[in-house]
Amino acid sequence: MQDAAFLTTATRHGGGLLKAAAACPDAPRPWLDLSTGINPEPWRGPRAAEAELNRLPDPGALVALEAVAASAFGCAPDRMAATAGAEAAIRLLPLLLGVRSVEIVGPTYGAHAESWRAAGVATRLIAADQAAASQAGVLVIVNPNNPDGRLTRRADLIAMARARSAVGRWLVVDESFIECAPDDSVSDVVEPGLIVLRSFGKFYGLAGVRLGFMLAAPDLVQHLRALLGDWPVGADALTMGRGAYADLDWRARTERALAERTDRLDDLLAEAGFQIVGGTSLFRMTRTPHAARWFQHLCEAGILTRPFAHTPDGLRFGVPTERDFPRLQRALEAFA
Amino acid sequence: MQDAAFLTTATRHGGGLLKAAAACPDAPRPWLDLSTGINPEPWRGPRAAEAELNRLPDPGALVALEAVAASAFGCAPDRMAATAGAEAAIRLLPLLLGVRSVEIVGPTYGAHAESWRAAGVATRLIAADQAAASQAGVLVIVNPNNPDGRLTRRADLIAMARARSAVGRWLVVDESFIECAPDDSVSDVVEPGLIVLRSFGKFYGLAGVRLGFMLAAPDLVQHLRALLGDWPVGADALTMGRGAYADLDWRARTERALAERTDRLDDLLAEAGFQIVGGTSLFRMTRTPHAARWFQHLCEAGILTRPFAHTPDGLRFGVPTERDFPRLQRALEAFA
């Protein structure tokens, strides 16, 4: 690895293969990207027709997408709005909720804290066992959590949402990886102070089309729509989102396939000396005293993983496809 | 036309073919959509590869897109940020500029007033000859204007931007149709109070991919980036935007072709009794005492045009492709 600054970059998000390739010019191509929690076996179905790219997205197509997604999530269509990725909703939350303090159960996905801090709101990371007692205006819980997969049970979330709503406080549940733990979703729960974020790109493996949803009380949904304008998502998001959320067979098959590959990955990683500390069926969080050396070794084999500034002995692995297991196995076995 | 409410819907934006088709079930298919100012002969080039849909957009790809677009606009890359359509920037402007009053030269594209009013900012439409004297915190000019094509000269815009900057006031120039009048662009002008909005979808005919830009002072651009998050646009926008803005031959050819088709459309419309009151080479604004009857007659022929609530005797026509001229001509000749 020629570029020492690259490790710092890699701790911000997963992805960024262009920078990885520049930092490790001798690594074998193509790169195997295990740095994100995005399903490497995406839902495959028609993209938007060329004629759809030529037009403004039809308002009727947005209504149709939201109806199919609402049905998949178990919520009413007037309680949700599509956004260009869950990220877009995360960034706009401070504008929608006029609060002075936020507590985020962490460590977790960094954009939450970044977004509230950029808006000048007092923001504090708290431990999971402090959540129920939080008195902040907004409490954010990522469920299951990224990167460690920590699960907050549905019953506990409902109790928190109810208690917070009663005193005018918000609970934001980021369900970006909830397809890996569907029984604990609160997307169907109606509480005035509960906001749920959903991501399309991760489980369906289509992060490049930018599609997510905010689920909330109808007045808040209307406010979000006003901020987003009339065409919040593009043509591919409308077409592929509608196709994918309606494909319940694919969802069931994919849940099973990911669970199987996760078991296989855990075996490989344990064999190589990693301690598996958690995760979901889309990514596994590990600990090893040699995390920085492992990261570099795998980069040199053209495999990008995810290090963390807040957990220097941690390394996260996305779950590979069947055909990429042998390459990962060889690289793991070659570590000296 | 079975649905009297449809005329009201159609005055909001162009597009909305699904509603038009529902209101006129007997109209011949496919519909000919002349209700927008989107080029019906789009730039044609590769879309994002399927592998790109599977990944988060690479930060390097965003940098590359912005560099190519900045070069096409004549501005520095640190003075611009890509957005999911010009509309996304329009909706976020009230959050970026903390002002108490806005004046908008109008009638014009309705989303400007809508966005500021939704944010609770005092918003007034003013006539073009009142613009130079405006003392509002923000002055918005759409150039060339939609729907009438009114052009504000570059020298006048520069003078206004300079005078307003000197007293801490903003000038927002919406250049969504500026490719039709490139000599009057101020995208290359550096003034602290000047903000320019650009649209990809209209001239390049790719409104469905959702791509636009805000050009402004670097600190404001950074603030916008924080609101948008790390993946402001999708994979197709990154790939097609980069390809199209680099294709200067296509731009030159398209400028000429649109100008020729505009002349031909003007002749047809004049023949049918319309008064051409202005426009650009992507749309023509007409007046006729029979605007509502014309709108309905054309709908029944499967041709969607654009009526206006603020100008009941106005009707706007998008410039058709070569192959659609005969159909439009037949429909114009069949009006009784």
Side-chain angles (χ1 to χ4, degrees), chain A residues 209-250:
Chain A
V209 311
R210 311 310 302 135
L211 177 62
F213 298 86
M214 188 182 91
L215 284 55
D219 59 334
L220 207 63
V221 166
Q222 286 309 314
H223 188 177
L224 177 64
R225 286 192 197 282
L227 286 176
L228 296 171
D230 283 7
W231 306 286
V233 304
D236 270 344
L238 291 170
T239 301
M240 300 183 90
R242 192 172 166 184
Y245 280 121
D247 192 347
L248 302 181
D249 281 350
W250 185 91

Coordinates of all heavy atoms in Angstrom, one line a residue, chain A residues 209-250:
Chain A
V209 N -28.9 3.0 -7.2 CA -30.1 3.7 -7.7 C -30.6 4.7 -6.7 O -31.5 5.5 -7.0 CB -31.2 2.7 -8.0 CG1 -30.7 1.6 -8.9 CG2 -31.9 2.1 -6.8
R210 N -30.1 4.7 -5.4 CA -30.5 5.7 -4.4 C -32.0 5.7 -4.2 O -32.8 6.4 -4.8 CB -30.1 7.2 -4.8 CG -28.7 7.3 -5.2 CD -27.6 6.8 -4.3 NE -27.7 7.3 -3.0 CZ -27.6 6.5 -1.9 NH1 -27.4 5.2 -1.9 NH2 -27.7 7.0 -0.7
L211 N -32.4 4.8 -3.2 CA -33.8 4.8 -2.8 C -33.9 4.4 -1.3 O -33.2 3.5 -0.9 CB -34.6 3.7 -3.6 CG -36.1 3.5 -3.3 CD1 -36.9 4.8 -3.4 CD2 -36.7 2.4 -4.1
G212 N -34.7 5.1 -0.6 CA -34.9 4.8 0.8 C -36.3 5.4 1.1 O -37.0 6.0 0.3
F213 N -36.7 5.3 2.4 CA -38.0 5.8 2.8 C -37.9 6.3 4.2 O -37.2 5.8 5.1 CB -39.0 4.6 2.8 CG -39.2 4.0 1.4 CD1 -38.4 3.0 1.0 CD2 -40.2 4.5 0.6 CE1 -38.6 2.5 -0.3 CE2 -40.4 4.0 -0.7 CZ -39.6 3.0 -1.1
M214 N -38.7 7.4 4.5 CA -39.0 7.8 5.9 C -40.4 7.4 6.2 O -41.3 7.8 5.4 CB -38.8 9.3 6.0 CG -38.8 9.7 7.5 SD -38.6 11.5 7.8 CE -40.3 12.0 7.7
L215 N -40.6 6.7 7.3 CA -42.0 6.4 7.8 C -42.2 7.2 9.0 O -41.4 7.2 10.0 CB -42.0 4.9 8.1 CG -42.1 3.9 7.0 CD1 -41.0 4.0 6.0 CD2 -42.2 2.5 7.6
A216 N -43.3 8.0 9.0 CA -43.6 8.9 10.2 C -45.1 9.3 10.1 O -45.8 8.9 9.2 CB -42.7 10.1 10.1
A217 N -45.5 10.1 11.1 CA -46.8 10.6 11.1 C -47.1 11.5 9.8 O -46.1 12.1 9.3 CB -47.0 11.5 12.3
P218 N -48.3 11.4 9.3 CA -48.6 12.1 8.0 C -48.1 13.5 7.9 O -47.7 14.0 6.8 CB -50.1 11.9 7.8 CG -50.4 10.7 8.6 CD -49.5 10.7 9.8
D219 N -48.3 14.3 9.0 CA -47.9 15.7 8.8 C -46.4 15.9 8.6 O -45.9 16.7 7.9 CB -48.3 16.6 10.0 CG -47.8 16.0 11.4 OD1 -47.4 14.8 11.4 OD2 -47.6 16.8 12.3
L220 N -45.6 15.0 9.3 CA -44.1 15.1 9.1 C -43.8 14.6 7.7 O -42.9 15.1 7.0 CB -43.5 14.1 10.1 CG -42.1 14.5 10.6 CD1 -42.0 15.9 11.2 CD2 -41.5 13.4 11.5
V221 N -44.5 13.6 7.2 CA -44.2 13.1 5.8 C -44.5 14.2 4.8 O -43.8 14.4 3.9 CB -45.1 11.8 5.6 CG1 -45.2 11.5 4.1 CG2 -44.6 10.6 6.4
Q222 N -45.6 15.0 5.1 CA -45.9 16.1 4.1 C -44.8 17.1 4.2 O -44.4 17.7 3.2 CB -47.2 16.7 4.5 CG -48.4 15.9 4.1 CD -48.4 15.4 2.6 OE1 -48.1 16.2 1.7 NE2 -48.6 14.2 2.4
H223 N -44.2 17.4 5.4 CA -43.1 18.4 5.5 C -41.9 17.9 4.7 O -41.3 18.6 4.0 CB -42.8 18.6 7.0 CG -41.8 19.7 7.2 ND1 -41.5 20.1 8.5 CD2 -41.1 20.5 6.4 CE1 -40.6 21.0 8.4 NE2 -40.4 21.3 7.2
L224 N -41.6 16.6 4.9 CA -40.5 16.0 4.1 C -40.7 16.2 2.6 O -39.8 16.5 1.8 CB -40.3 14.6 4.5 CG -39.2 13.8 3.7 CD1 -37.8 14.4 4.0 CD2 -39.2 12.3 4.1
R225 N -41.9 15.9 2.1 CA -42.2 16.0 0.7 C -42.0 17.4 0.2 O -41.5 17.6 -0.9 CB -43.7 15.6 0.4 CG -43.9 14.1 0.5 CD -45.3 13.8 -0.1 NE -45.8 12.5 0.3 CZ -45.4 11.3 -0.2 NH1 -44.5 11.3 -1.2 NH2 -45.8 10.2 0.2
A226 N -42.3 18.4 1.0 CA -42.1 19.8 0.6 C -40.6 20.1 0.5 O -40.2 20.8 -0.4 CB -42.8 20.7 1.6
L227 N -39.8 19.5 1.3 CA -38.4 19.7 1.2 C -37.8 19.0 0.0 O -36.7 19.4 -0.5 CB -37.6 19.2 2.5 CG -37.8 20.0 3.7 CD1 -37.1 19.3 4.9 CD2 -37.2 21.4 3.5
L228 N -38.3 17.9 -0.4 CA -37.8 17.0 -1.4 C -38.2 17.5 -2.8 O -37.5 17.2 -3.8 CB -38.1 15.6 -1.3 CG -37.6 14.9 0.0 CD1 -38.2 13.5 0.2 CD2 -36.1 14.8 -0.1
G229 N -39.4 18.1 -2.9 CA -39.9 18.5 -4.2 C -40.6 17.3 -4.9 O -40.8 16.3 -4.3
D230 N -41.0 17.6 -6.1 CA -42.0 16.6 -6.8 C -41.4 15.4 -7.4 O -42.1 14.4 -7.7 CB -42.7 17.4 -7.9 CG -43.8 18.3 -7.3 OD1 -43.9 18.4 -6.1 OD2 -44.6 18.8 -8.1
W231 N -40.0 15.4 -7.5 CA -39.4 14.2 -8.1 C -38.2 13.7 -7.2 O -37.1 13.9 -7.6 CB -38.9 14.6 -9.5 CG -39.9 15.2 -10.3 CD1 -41.0 14.5 -10.9 CD2 -40.1 16.6 -10.7 NE1 -41.8 15.4 -11.6 CE2 -41.3 16.6 -11.4 CE3 -39.4 17.7 -10.4 CZ2 -41.8 17.9 -11.9 CZ3 -39.9 18.9 -10.9 CH2 -41.1 19.0 -11.6
P232 N -38.6 13.2 -6.1 CA -37.6 12.8 -5.1 C -36.6 11.7 -5.5 O -35.5 11.6 -5.0 CB -38.4 12.4 -3.8 CG -39.7 12.0 -4.4 CD -39.9 12.8 -5.6
V233 N -37.1 10.8 -6.4 CA -36.2 9.7 -6.8 C -36.3 9.6 -8.3 O -37.2 10.0 -9.0 CB -36.7 8.4 -6.1 CG1 -36.7 8.5 -4.6 CG2 -38.0 7.9 -6.6
G234 N -35.3 8.9 -8.9 CA -35.1 8.8 -10.3 C -35.9 7.6 -10.9 O -36.5 6.9 -10.2
A235 N -35.7 7.5 -12.2 CA -36.5 6.5 -13.0 C -36.2 5.1 -12.6 O -37.1 4.3 -12.4 CB -36.3 6.7 -14.5
D236 N -34.9 4.8 -12.4 CA -34.5 3.4 -12.0 C -35.1 3.1 -10.7 O -35.5 1.9 -10.4 CB -33.0 3.2 -12.0 CG -32.4 2.8 -13.4 OD1 -33.2 2.3 -14.2 OD2 -31.2 2.9 -13.6
A237 N -35.0 4.0 -9.7 CA -35.6 3.8 -8.4 C -37.0 3.5 -8.5 O -37.5 2.6 -7.8 CB -35.3 5.0 -7.5
L238 N -37.8 4.2 -9.3 CA -39.2 4.0 -9.4 C -39.5 2.6 -10.0 O -40.3 1.8 -9.5 CB -39.9 5.0 -10.3 CG -39.9 6.4 -9.7 CD1 -40.3 7.4 -10.8 CD2 -40.8 6.5 -8.5
T239 N -38.8 2.2 -11.0 CA -39.1 0.9 -11.7 C -38.6 -0.2 -10.9 O -39.3 -1.2 -10.6 CB -38.4 0.9 -13.1 OG1 -38.9 2.0 -13.8 CG2 -38.6 -0.4 -13.8
M240 N -37.3 -0.2 -10.4 CA -36.7 -1.3 -9.7 C -37.2 -1.5 -8.3 O -37.4 -2.6 -7.8 CB -35.2 -1.2 -9.8 CG -34.6 -1.1 -11.2 SD -32.8 -1.0 -11.2 CE -32.4 -2.8 -11.3
G241 N -37.5 -0.3 -7.7 CA -38.1 -0.4 -6.3 C -39.4 -1.1 -6.4 O -39.7 -2.0 -5.5
R242 N -40.2 -0.7 -7.3 CA -41.6 -1.3 -7.4 C -41.5 -2.8 -7.7 O -42.2 -3.6 -7.2 CB -42.3 -0.6 -8.6 CG -43.8 -0.9 -8.6 CD -44.4 0.1 -9.6 NE -45.8 -0.4 -10.0 CZ -46.5 0.2 -10.9 NH1 -46.0 1.3 -11.5 NH2 -47.7 -0.2 -11.1
G243 N -40.6 -3.2 -8.6 CA -40.4 -4.6 -9.0 C -39.9 -5.4 -7.8 O -40.4 -6.5 -7.5
A244 N -38.9 -4.8 -7.1 CA -38.2 -5.6 -6.1 C -39.1 -5.8 -4.8 O -39.2 -6.9 -4.3 CB -36.9 -4.9 -5.7
Y245 N -39.8 -4.7 -4.4 CA -40.6 -4.9 -3.2 C -41.8 -5.8 -3.4 O -42.3 -6.3 -2.4 CB -41.0 -3.5 -2.7 CG -39.9 -2.8 -1.9 CD1 -39.4 -1.5 -2.3 CD2 -39.3 -3.3 -0.8 CE1 -38.4 -0.9 -1.6 CE2 -38.3 -2.7 0.0 CZ -37.9 -1.4 -0.5 OH -36.9 -0.8 0.2
A246 N -42.2 -5.9 -4.6 CA -43.3 -6.8 -4.9 C -42.9 -8.3 -5.0 O -43.7 -9.2 -5.0 CB -44.0 -6.4 -6.2
D247 N -41.6 -8.5 -5.1 CA -41.0 -9.8 -5.3 C -40.8 -10.6 -4.0 O -39.6 -10.7 -3.5 CB -39.8 -9.7 -6.1 CG -39.3 -11.0 -6.7 OD1 -39.8 -12.1 -6.3 OD2 -38.4 -11.0 -7.6
L248 N -41.9 -11.0 -3.4 CA -41.7 -11.6 -2.0 C -41.0 -13.0 -2.1 O -40.4 -13.4 -1.1 CB -43.1 -11.8 -1.4 CG -43.9 -10.5 -1.3 CD1 -45.2 -10.7 -0.6 CD2 -43.1 -9.4 -0.5
D249 N -41.1 -13.7 -3.2 CA -40.3 -14.9 -3.4 C -38.8 -14.6 -3.3 O -38.0 -15.3 -2.6 CB -40.6 -15.6 -4.7 CG -41.9 -16.3 -4.7 OD1 -42.5 -16.5 -3.6 OD2 -42.3 -16.7 -5.8
W250 N -38.3 -13.6 -4.0 CA -36.9 -13.3 -4.0 C -36.5 -12.9 -2.6 O -35.4 -13.3 -2.1 CB -36.7 -12.1 -4.9 CG -35.2 -11.7 -5.1 CD1 -34.3 -12.2 -6.0 CD2 -34.5 -10.8 -4.2 NE1 -33.1 -11.7 -5.7 CE2 -33.1 -10.8 -4.7 CE3 -34.8 -10.0 -3.1 CZ2 -32.1 -10.1 -4.1 CZ3 -33.8 -9.3 -2.5 CH2 -32.5 -9.3 -3.0

